Amino acid sequence: KKIILKDRPPISYDVLSVNLGISPKRNPKVESPFVTPVKPIEKFSAKWESLLKRVIEADEESKFTLVVVGGGASGVELCLSMQARIKRELKARGKNHHHLVFMLFSGSDVLLPTHAKKVQQICTQILKKRNIEIKLKCRVVEIDGNYIKTENESYFFNECIWCTQAGAQQWLETTGLALDSGFIAVKDTLESVNTPNVFACGDVASCLPYPRPKAGVYAVRQGPPLFENLKRTLTNQPLLPFKPQSQYLALIGTGEQNECIYSRGSLAFVGGIYWKMKDWIDTTFMAQYTSLLPFDKMRSPIISIPSVALHDEESISVVKESPMRCGGCGSKIGQTVLSNVLSQLQPNLLKRDDIITGLDTPDDCAIIRVVSANFL
């Protein structure tokens, strides 16, 4: 029962919950400096700013082609939203967008194959209205420099955004956990099917009794039952089963506030009201992790310490006889433990060129050289 970490000591556990999400499927044939995967999102966010700057500064006399690979909801939404943002940025600078070409590639014969036919039709109409070229049944087999190759054609591009279905981390294959297409196989209690006290939820998990597509709404809804079953495991109570919903609401943005697609089951609508709904849902959800966090409760002291009136002789005597509360910065682990560990360390083994002030010359802090001219 250990978690093996890279460049860190292993961590022992009694109960483990895994929620790692998904990562892009590695395919050396489609890797290129001009290809940016959407996941992990932090890398895409950083690349997007530089991509946006490159498009804005591009020569208006030369065609600039931006390709999105992936015909699912995320690929369609991203393609439309990027086009709308770039057009607004160019307009604000007095530039036109006629040199821009957007292309959307999908290996399927329809866009948004997991959505209703009406949703597929609405998205297709909007993409065509925006002059975005749709390439269906065009599975990308290779990226060669600035050329995207399908089974039958080759297309030049300047930038490519990779938005196909991602997969689980490959290291899960070495854990001994039962997997389902690379994802951790779990019961309806979200516990591993072959390893007790190991739970998984979100995109990294595959609930065998209730297969569902990888969507954020399912991951979010698994939070409360996971929390409940973790508590039950720690208190030796029977676990409770969880059945995810069969349908979910998808609000697909187009980059324009007067146009957003409502999709749920067989229902499909389009209009500005759904953009307001999407904006409210997204901002409210994100606020749970920022402005709505219970900071006041988190900061309240666990123990209230009464003040001492120093003019009272008895109070002064109590303060004088009380042990020192402060154990130094290491008091988080206890003064005795800290002292024992420090006494066993051999300073000569810790002498390194990057340690300027260490245990051999003890001070209130250590000084470590991070790079040639920077110190921590």
Side-chain angles (χ1 to χ4, degrees), residues 3 9 21 92 107 112 116 177 182 195 203 220 234 250 274 303 338 351:
I3 304 171
L112 292 88
L177 295 170
T195 308
D203 288 344
V220 171
L234 294 170
Y274 305 117
I303 302 174
L338 180 63
K351 288 185 177 180

Side-chain angles (χ1 to χ4, degrees), residues 67-209:
V67 166
V68 175
V69 178
S74 57
V76 171
E77 182 172 25
L78 190 61
C79 189
L80 289 167
S81 299
M82 287 194 302
Q83 187 200 50
R85 170 71 185 279
I86 291 172
K87 283 185 176 181
R88 287 196 295 268
E89 294 291 340
L90 290 173
K91 184 178 180 180
R93 291 164 174 78
K95 298 183 177 182
N96 65 62
H97 60 268
H98 301 301
H99 63 297
L100 295 180
V101 176
F102 280 80
M103 303 175 71
L104 179 63
F105 284 77
S106 175
S108 176
D109 56 352
V110 295
L111 294 174
L112 292 88
T114 61
H115 290 256
K117 188 174 181 179
K118 182 64 175 176
V119 178
Q120 299 169 1
Q121 293 173 346
I122 292 174
C123 286
T124 301
Q125 292 171 0
I126 295 175
L127 287 164
K128 289 182 176 179
K129 183 178 68 175
R130 303 271 189 93
N131 294 318
I132 295 176
E133 298 181 29
I134 305 172
K135 303 292 183 182
L136 298 177
K137 293 190 288 188
C138 286
R139 189 172 301 278
V140 178
V141 296
E142 186 179 356
I143 301 287
D144 184 8
N146 285 96
Y147 284 88
I148 186 168
K149 296 182 179 181
T150 65
E151 295 173 346
N152 302 313
E153 299 286 342
S154 179
Y155 304 87
F156 176 84
F157 70 91
N158 295 93
E159 291 286 346
C160 173
I161 305 299
W162 200 266
C163 201
T164 60
Q165 187 174 6
Q169 287 87 341
Q170 291 184 348
W171 63 264
L172 289 172
E173 299 173 1
T174 67
T175 61
L177 295 170
L179 304 179
D180 178 38
S181 299
F183 302 99
I184 300 175
V186 298
K187 310 171 189 176
D188 56 3
T189 59
L190 303 179
E191 185 180 35
S192 168
V193 297
N194 74 332
T195 308
N197 295 343
V198 173
F199 294 78
C201 73
D203 288 344
V204 76
S206 176
C207 188
L208 298 187

Side-chain angles (χ1 to χ4, degrees), residues 307-322:
S307 59
V308 178
L310 293 181
H311 62 274
D312 187 288
E313 291 294 331
E314 185 178 356
S315 297
I316 295 175
S317 175
V318 169
V319 172
K320 285 183 176 180
E321 297 299 326
S322 296

